[in-house]
Amino acid sequence: MLAIVKVGGGLATAREALERVGRAVAAAAGRRPVVVVPGGGPFADAVREFERTHGLTPAAAHWMAILAMDQYAYALADRVPGSVVVRSAEEIGAAHRAGKVPVLAPSDWMLAADVLPHSWNATSDSVAAFLAGALDAGLLVLVKPVSGAPGELTDPCFPTVVPERLPVAVIAAYEVERLGALIEERMSGRAAGPG
């Protein structure tokens, strides 16, 4: 069973945070199969700014934001030791077999599925939830700048996309060193405390 680790774009503003998250993800992937799903970060913020100043249709903004996730995937792969950018389930499997940590650039997959509303109500959290279901993941972990309950920190679309029985945990960047333990505890059925 694999764990989806969605790394929020808000972490891109602090180099130290990305370095810490990268090391923690690599360590966790040494214990269980992990797939990293990127947020949009400053790349999605650029789409929001372009939309504000120039105007965009909802569809254009949606697909530009999905492409922003692809850009962040490359930045994350640069920070997660032993990782590789992938685009499909087949490439995820190949990465795992090669002992690599797959960082998913989701645009091809999301374009083919086109399951989310074309609005800012569906962000990278909803993309990660959809992909967790598509990959039959055993856990979805959202790494964010702060901790809290998923319902407080996710987009409005998230509850409609996340698979009903999929455990979801939120971990703050400042506590990311316990990512591996959190994944292990949640996937082995033991209580892991708040988050």
Side-chain angles (χ1 to χ4, degrees):
M1 271 246 157
L2 60 85
I4 302 296
V5 178
K6 187 263 179 171
V7 179
L11 303 179
T13 58
R15 180 178 174 91
E16 312 80 44
L18 280 184
E19 299 290 345
R20 289 177 62 215
V21 169
R23 288 191 303 269
V25 167
R31 299 165 78 174
R32 293 249 185 195
V34 167
V35 176
V36 177
V37 174
F43 310 104
D45 291 342
V47 175
R48 286 183 176 95
E49 179 61 19
F50 188 92
E51 180 184 43
R52 188 184 66 74
T53 58
H54 299 287
L56 289 169
T57 64
H62 175 75
W63 294 118
M64 289 170 71
I66 297 290
L67 287 167
M69 294 175 68
D70 282 8
Q71 291 181 296
Y72 193 38
Y74 283 92
L76 289 175
D78 199 47
R79 295 291 180 258
V80 178
S83 67
V84 61
V85 175
V86 299
R87 296 185 167 278
S88 66
E90 294 77 20
E91 290 182 10
I92 289 169
H96 283 144
R97 287 188 297 278
K100 301 282 188 181
V101 181
V103 179
L104 183 60
S107 64
D108 291 348
W109 200 323
M110 297 311 296
L111 187 61
D114 197 12
V115 294
L116 297 178
H118 295 180
S119 83
W120 292 107
N121 285 334
T123 66
S124 56
D125 288 340
S126 286
V127 172
F130 167 74
L131 292 168
L135 291 166
D136 198 24
L139 175 66
L140 171 59
V141 180
L142 306 173
V143 182
K144 295 191 169 273
V146 297
S147 63
E152 299 167 357
L153 298 172
T154 55
D155 62 66
C157 185
F158 184 85
T160 67
V161 180
V162 68
E164 187 176 321
R165 296 180 186 208
L166 178 69
V168 178
V170 177
I171 189 168
Y174 64 83
E175 60 184 350
V176 76
E177 283 78 11
R178 68 181 200 91
L179 177 65
L182 173 72
I183 291 171
E184 199 61 35
E185 290 166 356
R186 292 292 175 99
M187 292 188 72
S188 65
R190 287 180 266 133

